[in-house]
């Protein structure tokens, strides 16, 4: 039985979704963020030294990092539907999106979250200065970077209905978090019709909905 060490409002929701798509048996062990710091509880460090989520446990094997977990699960539960055949363009694209989602895509989104929170977490005397610096960083660097990435996603979906090709795959599960996070901060407008349609399609998937039932609703801010 796979144990998913699941932190509320975290990227581990994608792991639950993948397991539901695979039809695998698993157990959810829940952890709650600190209400003030929003950090994971120290209990997670007993599972993995970094104390982060997602982490899965499988017969004593500990696997961390979403992309590594997805690769591990696809190896354990081979799925032609979720993993394009080796040597194909779809397989290459799957590998790309598994790395891109947590590498390039999440960096500006994380910066947006951090800089957006700085003013409210700063001492009162310096808050106006911190607010000005935060606003400048967001308007001059972070927001333009997010705009570049969202335009890239929209462009990629003009090539096919899904990120690895004409069929839904684990690439779409991996890309769900950055795309949903970006949409939650600035809802996609009429210039992003394919992204809006893609979100509607993943939200309608029964496995996605079952994962929400198991893990609970989540937010990005």
């Amino acid at each position: 039985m796979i144990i998913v060490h699941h932190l509320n409002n975290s990227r581990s929701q994608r792991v639950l979704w993948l397991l539901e798509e695979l039809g695998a048996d698993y157990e959810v062990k829940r952890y709650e963020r600190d209400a003030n710091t929003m950090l994971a509880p120290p209990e997670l460090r007993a599972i993995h030294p970094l104390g982060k989520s997602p982490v899965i446990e499988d017969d004593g094997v500990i696997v961390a990092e979403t992309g590594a977990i997805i690769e591990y699960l696809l190896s354990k539960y081979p799925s032609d539907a979720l993993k394009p055949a080796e040597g194909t363009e779809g397989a290459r694209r799957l590998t790309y999106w598994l790395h891109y989602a947590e590498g390039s895509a999440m960096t500006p989104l994380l910066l947006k979250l951090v800089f957006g929170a700085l003013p409210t977490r700063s001492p009162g005397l310096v808050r106006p200065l911190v607010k000005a610096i935060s606003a400048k960083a967001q308007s001059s660097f972070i927001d333009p970077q997010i705009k570049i990435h969202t335009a890239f996603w929209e462009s990629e979906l003009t090539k096919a209905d899904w990120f690895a090709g004409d069929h839904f795959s684990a690439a779409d599960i991996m890309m769900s978090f950055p795309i949903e996070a970006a949409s939650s901060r600035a809802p996609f407008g009429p210039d992003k019709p394919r992204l809006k349609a893609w979100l509607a399609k993943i939200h309608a998937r029964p496995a996605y909905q079952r994962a929400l039932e198991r893990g609970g609703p989540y937010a990005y801010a």
Side-chain angles (χ1 to χ4, degrees), residues 81-94:
L82 295 174
K83 183 179 180 181
E86 293 294 333
T88 64
E89 175 66 8
R92 185 192 67 78
R93 291 178 66 80
L94 171 61

Side-chain angles (χ1 to χ4, degrees), residues 120-154:
T120 59
R121 296 176 180 271
S122 301
L125 289 176
V126 299
R127 190 168 297 158
L129 176 61
V130 173
K131 185 176 181 180
I133 293 172
S134 172
K136 181 64 175 178
Q138 292 186 68
S139 64
S140 63
F141 175 71
I142 300 171
D143 290 344
Q145 283 295 309
I146 293 175
K147 186 176 180 180
I148 289 172
H149 283 278
T150 56
F152 172 54
W153 305 338
E154 179 74 14

